[in-house]
Amino acid sequence: MKAKIIITPKKAVLDPQGKTVQTALEHMGYTGVTGVHIGKYIEIDLAPGTDKAAAEKALNDAAHKLLSNPVIEDYRLEIE
Amino acid sequence: MNFSVLQFPASNCDQDAVHAVRHFGHSARLVWHKDAALGDTDCVIVPGGFSYGDYLRCGAIARFSPVMQAVKQFADNGGLVLGICNGFQVLTEAGLLPGALIRNRDLQFHCENIFLKTATNDSPFTSQIPVGKILRVPIAHGEGCYFADEETLAKLKANNQILWQYCDATGNLTDTANPNGALQNIAGICNEKRNVAGLMPHPERACEPLLGSDDGKWIFESIFAALKNKTVAAAA
């Protein structure tokens, strides 16, 4: 089993990396790009047979406390 | 006065902080991040550096070290805590100070001298700074852009929690004087109880004329004065 956590900067937070990459894409001629947001992707391996609901609860807790900073970031959790 | 200077793996301004405190005739010792107790301490300094390699986010891992639980308790009991640079990042991650520090807006690491305006003398960290004095102190960071949501920012202003702001040589809060894009040119803040403060600049690196500036001494003098008052109050 695997948990995937995608962390992105909150909309209100300045994202200079995203802005720089967006400008680079425009310079390269890619049109229609209205925004680039750079975040983090974390993969967590879970023991086979782990209870999905319990893992979801625990990982949400971990994502809130450690994996993301709720002041500046949003996250999305997927377990498969 | 006894100062405890925390030491995490990859702290690199810990010795500077110890040196600065001793330079002013007070005692300072290093406290290892795995220690669960601070011992006899009047003030804690969370120093600059790259604690735990800045993995995940600056200060994110340091926050969970055993020594930080002791610091939390020390702060809850009213003890003075100063976070410098990475120490400021650790204190925001730990929830001891509001807001967060993100990548500098130009994505560059800035290592230079800047000017600081003291926004209020009403704190144990600023009380002795002469009114109107512009401090010249160095910065050295890549992630020092202070961010807080509007509600938090309004609260910081209403409670006079903004302690230092980046300014030009004559004290104007201009955008060009802002090295990292921090909201409202914020360089340092304190908590609501005013016993925990953090700042991105390094006062400990500017305590002797030999180092190019001794303006940082005013921040240390403020802490010494606050601790002295505390001792006097406790004895009375």
Side-chain angles (χ1 to χ4, degrees):
Chain A
M1 269 176 99
K2 211 167 238 168
K4 298 175 174 177
I5 295 150
I6 296 150
I7 299 158
T8 48
K10 274 192 198 296
K11 289 280 175 293
V13 176
L14 203 68
D15 179 11
Q17 283 192 88
K19 270 272 171 293
T20 306
V21 171
Q22 185 181 346
T23 311
L25 288 172
E26 284 161 5
H27 280 302
M28 289 165 75
Y30 293 100
T31 52
V33 179
T34 56
V36 177
H37 309 284
I38 297 183
K40 291 188 193 93
Y41 171 68
I42 300 174
E43 246 182 36
I44 295 179
D45 299 327
L46 299 169
T50 302
D51 178 68
K52 200 176 164 183
E56 204 172 305
K57 193 166 177 285
L59 285 168
N60 268 313
D61 188 54
H64 201 77
K65 281 188 190 153
L66 173 68
L67 304 177
S68 81
N69 179 345
V71 176
I72 47 171
E73 295 167 328
D74 292 320
Y75 74 88
R76 204 167 68 234
L77 169 67
E78 291 166 13
I79 297 177
E80 59 185 41
Chain B
M1 306 296 171
N2 293 321
F3 281 68
S4 288
V5 178
L6 308 190
Q7 198 175 39
F8 299 104
S11 288
N12 64 9
C13 301
D14 42 342
Q15 300 289 355
D16 305 48
V18 166
H19 173 83
V21 171
R22 288 181 183 162
H23 173 71
F24 295 116
H26 294 277
S27 80
R29 60 189 184 87
L30 294 166
V31 181
W32 187 233
H33 68 117
K34 285 187 175 165
D35 289 351
L38 291 167
D40 184 15
T41 299
D42 299 303
C43 177
V44 172
I45 296 180
V46 191
F50 299 86
S51 58
Y52 298 89
D54 273 354
Y55 295 161
L56 195 61
R57 290 180 312 278
C58 306
I61 316 274
R63 170 200 168 183
F64 293 100
S65 59
V67 78
M68 278 308 294
Q69 313 314 311
V71 170
K72 252 187 175 162
Q73 204 177 3
F74 180 76
D76 286 347
N77 292 334
L80 293 190
V81 180
L82 177 68
I84 300 169
C85 197
N86 186 226
F88 185 12
Q89 295 164 339
V90 172
L91 293 178
T92 57
E93 281 283 344
L96 286 170
L97 288 172
L101 294 139
I102 59 172
R103 277 293 278 276
N104 293 350
R105 65 179 158 187
D106 61 2
L107 300 172
Q108 305 284 316
F109 187 96
H110 281 254
C111 185
E112 59 192 332
N113 282 310
I114 50 88
F115 293 104
L116 278 186
K117 186 176 192 165
T118 303
T120 174
N121 283 108
D122 176 23
S123 87
F125 308 93
T126 54
S127 69
Q128 301 303 304
I129 302 172
V131 175
K133 169 91 183 156
I134 305 300
L135 307 180
R136 186 169 170 270
V137 282
I139 55 163
H141 62 248
E143 307 196 22
C145 174
Y146 184 78
F147 174 84
D149 59 29
E150 278 178 29
E151 194 187 329
T152 308
L153 207 57
K155 225 171 133 188
L156 284 177
K157 278 201 227 167
N159 297 333
N160 241 353
Q161 286 172 253
I162 299 171
L163 298 186
W164 299 283
Q165 288 165 296
Y166 301 108
C167 65
D168 64 16
T170 48
N172 301 303
L173 304 176
T174 62
D175 194 49
T176 28
N178 185 342
N180 50 34
L183 289 177
Q184 315 264 328
N185 284 34
I186 290 174
I189 56 165
C190 69
N191 63 344
E192 227 176 309
K193 274 168 63 189
R194 310 189 90 70
N195 64 316
V196 179
L199 77 168
M200 287 313 295
H202 288 273
E204 84 285 14
R205 291 190 197 173
C207 286
E208 295 157 77
L210 183 67
L211 299 173
S213 168
D214 63 352
D215 288 349
K217 73 176 176 203
W218 297 111
I219 294 173
F220 285 94
E221 293 292 355
S222 301
I223 296 173
F224 302 145
L227 293 175
K228 203 174 153 197
N229 286 343
K230 224 172 164 179
T231 318
V232 173

